[in-house]
Amino acid sequence: MKLNQVKLGNQGLIVPNIGLGCMGMTGFGDADMYGKTDEKEAIATIHRSLELGGNFLDTADLYGPFKNEQLIAKAIEGNRNKYIIATKFGWEIDDNDQVTWKINGTKEYVKKSIERSLKNLKTDYIDLYYMHRLDKNVPVEETVGAMGDLVKEGKIGYIGLSEVSSETVKKAHAVHPISAVQSEFSLFERTVEEKGVIKTLNELGIGFVAYSPLGRGFLSGQIRSIDDLPENDFRRGIPRFQEQYFHKNIELVEAIENLAQEKNITSSQLALAWIISKGILPIPGTKRRKYLEKNIEASKIVLSESDIQKLESIVPLGTDTGAPYDEFSMGLLDY
Ligand SMILES: NC(=O)c1ccc[n+]([C@@H]2O[C@H](COP(=O)([O-])OP(=O)(O)OC[C@H]3O[C@@H](n4cnc5c(N)ncnc54)[C@H](OP(=O)(O)O)[C@@H]3O)[C@@H](O)[C@H]2O)c1
C-alpha cells in the first residue's frame, strides 16, 4: 500500500505524508513516557506501519537513552532499506550512558553521536539527522558544518533541526541546506506559526514536521482526568496537563470531539487531518497497532474550508492552553 508521498524540503527527501513517532515505545530510564511499554506490540506496530505504507520512523538517541534506537534496529532488521529513519542528537549523553541534561552542539560531539546512533540502529546510514536542540553556547554554523561533513561522508542523507527560531534556521541553511525542521505543533501548540518560523521555512523550501501532533494524547480525548495518567507519566510535569489548565483544555477537547463526531471520525483523526491540510507532516506517536491504523486513515481525510474554519474557531491562534514543557525545558527552546 502507498500513502500520499510528499517532498520534505527541496533537497530530495520524499516521505509519506504521515510519520510514526516511536518515542513512547520505550521508557526513559525507569519511567514511562506515556504509560506502560510493550516491546512486542511496539515492534508489531512498526511492522504494521510499513504494511500500510507508513515507513517514516522518528526516534532520537535521547529516548531511553538509546533504547528506542535499539528497538527500531530490532524491528527493521532485514528490511532496513524499506524504512526512512530520522534520529536526533544534541542532548548530551556521557560515556556511562547518562544524560547530563546539557545540550552539546560541538563538532566533536556531532561526530561522536553519529557513530553511536549508527551502531544502535545497526545501520550504516541515517536518512534524516536532526540537531535535537540548539546549543546556545556553540554557533549553529559549527554544528551544521559538522553535520554537512556527515552528508559528504555518506553517513546521513539529509539535515534537520528541532525547535529553532527563524534566525537560527537562516544561519544554518546558509552553511548547508536544511531539509526539515521538527517542532511541536498541534491544535494546542502553534508557537512556531506565531513566531513566523513556518513562514521562513516555506520561503527557504524547508519541510516542517509536527511533533506531538495529538498534544501528547490530550487531543485524542482518552485523557479525561489527570488521574488517568500513571504516577510516573512524563505528562504530569507539563503545565498544560496540570490543574490550572486541565479543565479548560478538556472543554476544548470536547468541542473538537463534537465536530469530529459530526464528520464520523475521531478527534485524533480530525487533529491530524487539520495539520496535513496545512501542508505540514505530522508524526503521531503510538505504541499500538490499534491507534496506528486510525492515524494512518487520517492521512487520507480531506477537510473542507468550512471544517477548518469551525475547528479554528474552537481553538483560535493564540489560545492559551498552558506551557508545553516545564520551566527547564522551555528554557532550551530557541524562541
Ligand atoms: N523533537 C522533539 O523535541 C520531540 C519532542 C517530543 C516528541 N517528538 C517526536 O514526536 C513523536 C510524536 O509525539 P508524542 O508521541 O510526544 O505525542 P503525540 O503524538 O501528540 O501523542 C502521543 C500519545 O497519543 C496517544 N495516541 C496516539 N494515537 C492515538 C489515537 N489514534 N487514539 C488515541 N490515542 C492516541 C498515544 O498513546 P499510546 O502511547 O498509548 O499508543 C500517546 O499517549 C514522538 O514519538 C517523538 O518521535 C519529538
Side-chain angles (χ1 to χ4, degrees), residues 133-134 136 325-335:
R133 290 288 183 276
L134 173 71
K136 294 179 184 174
Y325 281 110
D326 65 13
E327 229 179 294
F328 170 73
S329 296
M330 286 301 288
L332 296 174
L333 307 180
D334 181 30
Y335 310 110

Side-chain angles (χ1 to χ4, degrees), residues 161-164 181-185 192 208-212 335:
L161 309 171
S162 177
E163 293 288 10
V164 284
V181 166
Q182 174 180 136
S183 298
E184 184 160 353
F185 185 82
V192 279
F208 181 54
V209 173
Y211 81 71
S212 301
Y335 310 110

